[in-house]
Amino acid sequence: MREAVELAARGWGQVSPNPLVGAVVAQGQEVVGRGWHAEYGGEHAEVMALGEAGPRAQGGTLYVTLEPCRHHGHTAPCVESVRRAGIRRVVIASRDPHSTAGGGADVLREAGLDVEIGLEARAAKRLNAPFLWFHATGTPFASLKLALSMDARLGAPGVRTAVTGPQAWEEVHGLRASHDAVLIGRGTVDVDDPLLTARGERAPRRPPVRIVLDSELHLSLTSQLIRTIDQAPVWVVGDPEYEGFGGRAVELQAAGVDVIPVRREAGHTLKVEQIWKRLAERGVLSVLVEGGGRVASALLRSRRIQRLHAFYAPIFFGEEGVSGFPHLDPSEPGEWRAVERAAIGPDTRIVLEHRALEDVLEPL
């Protein structure tokens, strides 16, 4: 099953809105077939593994990270392939919460196969946290990425500042490739003028949508985001009650930008609940939030972040540096749990998960 989890990760950035799935067919201790869901619309992991195993699958065991699907989608139901192959036993890491595809384990049991569920469930579910979260809650899964100094600063005020090294940036491009959208505030555009595209070794199947929270639609038509709109879509979220909204919306739409109207709260912050609702309606399962500090703090306060990727550089900016967490409410003990720590070149990456994610990642 651990090998199946490793195989599943090979579909990174290529399968959304489908989950990452890996499969291994074994006869006793001998592996006779391996497979993974390599791209959206392509054959599923079980079919690839059974195809490699051929007649050697007869009477064997299928290890799979997500229960085989039972519906006709882009491909035939995997449960049919499993039954035709003569598999005797199926070991599943995680149930599928999808209302249509899920339930394959029950179909296989009814067909007389020996089915076990829960082996390496936490590892398999962590890999598919965005998919599982979206189908459990109906709202996008949100990761927050911040590059921070040792004193939790984002950089020098008002200027673009390189905080972390090239190895950390490679990791960030991989994160972008695994999310449906990348989100920032307009202040980050004004200071950094970023591209926000996924420029890692392997391009994602579809480039993540680049989303800017911009209440008054001040996004410059000469920004890199708009000048590269042919490379990846750009959505701007603004307040339709702002006096100049209509005129600016027309200008941005003429440039190819999709303008999403969301009203502001009394404190002049766009309504986060409405933003997340609009994204879900547009099929966005996962969002990578890249700042700035005000956006990060607002989303943390509203409990919209499930996973936090903090890249710490061995530098200090001092009191004049831009805070990574301005006006943030104190967290409760146990609200966040560190699940990964690693050296990334000269920097350090810490991955934390919110306790609200725990229920989704429970073994069964």
Side-chain angles (χ1 to χ4, degrees), residues 58 79 109 139 242 286:
Q58 183 76 33
V79 291
R109 280 192 176 124
T139 60
Y242 165 62
S286 59

Side-chain angles (χ1 to χ4, degrees), residues 238-283:
D239 182 0
E241 295 186 347
Y242 165 62
E243 184 178 352
F245 180 89
R248 282 296 295 159
V250 170
E251 292 178 0
L252 290 170
Q253 289 165 343
V257 175
D258 193 347
V259 177
I260 303 174
V262 171
R263 288 184 171 83
R264 286 181 282 192
E265 304 276 9
H268 304 292
T269 301
L270 291 166
K271 294 182 178 180
V272 175
E273 181 180 356
Q274 290 301 310
I275 296 172
W276 255 234
K277 181 179 179 181
R278 298 288 182 269
L279 297 185
E281 291 170 349
R282 291 163 176 256

Side-chain angles (χ1 to χ4, degrees), residues 21-88:
V21 184
V24 170
V25 179
Q27 285 285 357
Q29 298 300 310
E30 181 187 3
V31 173
V32 296
R34 297 174 175 86
W36 63 95
H37 186 30
E39 61 180 353
Y40 179 75
E43 66 181 6
H44 288 188
E46 303 94 316
V47 175
M48 181 187 291
L50 292 168
E52 183 179 284
R56 293 177 296 174
Q58 183 76 33
T61 299
L62 170 68
Y63 296 86
V64 62
T65 58
L66 192 74
E67 71 177 318
C69 66
R70 63 177 176 86
H71 78 305
H72 283 272
H74 289 281
T75 61
C78 288
V79 291
E80 294 183 4
S81 298
V82 174
R83 290 168 57 187
R84 286 198 304 268
I87 288 289
R88 177 184 60 82

Side-chain angles (χ1 to χ4, degrees), residues 51-257:
E52 183 179 284
R56 293 177 296 174
Q58 183 76 33
T61 299
L62 170 68
Y63 296 86
V64 62
T65 58
L66 192 74
E67 71 177 318
C69 66
R70 63 177 176 86
H71 78 305
H72 283 272
H74 289 281
T75 61
C78 288
V79 291
E80 294 183 4
S81 298
V82 174
R83 290 168 57 187
R84 286 198 304 268
I87 288 289
R88 177 184 60 82
R89 176 170 169 255
V90 181
V91 182
I92 298 167
S94 169
R95 285 275 196 179
D96 187 344
H98 195 283
S99 58
T100 304
D106 300 327
V107 173
L108 293 173
R109 280 192 176 124
E110 291 171 2
L113 279 71
D114 181 8
V115 178
E116 300 175 24
I117 304 174
L119 183 65
E120 292 293 330
R122 181 58 64 100
K125 286 191 169 190
R126 177 156 287 120
L127 192 63
N128 272 324
F131 172 83
L132 296 171
W133 177 270
F134 183 85
H135 287 287
T137 67
T139 60
F141 177 92
S143 303
L144 171 62
K145 187 282 298 182
L146 290 174
L148 300 161
S149 63
M150 296 298 291
D151 51 349
R153 305 288 172 171
L154 296 173
V159 294
R160 180 167 185 160
T161 309
V163 180
T164 52
Q167 295 93 335
W169 270 110
E170 290 177 11
E171 294 285 324
V172 171
H173 285 297
L175 285 174
R176 289 176 181 173
S178 67
H179 288 76
D180 295 332
V182 180
L183 182 147
I184 60 173
R186 201 199 77 241
T188 299
V189 180
D190 294 343
V191 174
D192 294 342
D193 193 20
L195 279 170
L196 299 183
T197 50
R199 304 186 298 279
E201 290 185 3
R202 188 181 184 193
R205 179 181 71 87
R206 56 183 183 185
V209 176
R210 299 171 291 176
I211 303 173
V212 181
L213 304 185
D214 183 9
S215 299
E216 298 179 354
L217 303 188
H218 286 318
L219 179 65
S220 172
L221 296 177
T222 61
S223 66
Q224 287 201 95
L225 290 174
I226 293 183
R227 286 190 284 114
T228 59
I229 204 163
D230 59 326
Q231 298 180 24
V234 176
W235 299 352
V236 176
V237 183
D239 182 0
E241 295 186 347
Y242 165 62
E243 184 178 352
F245 180 89
R248 282 296 295 159
V250 170
E251 292 178 0
L252 290 170
Q253 289 165 343
V257 175

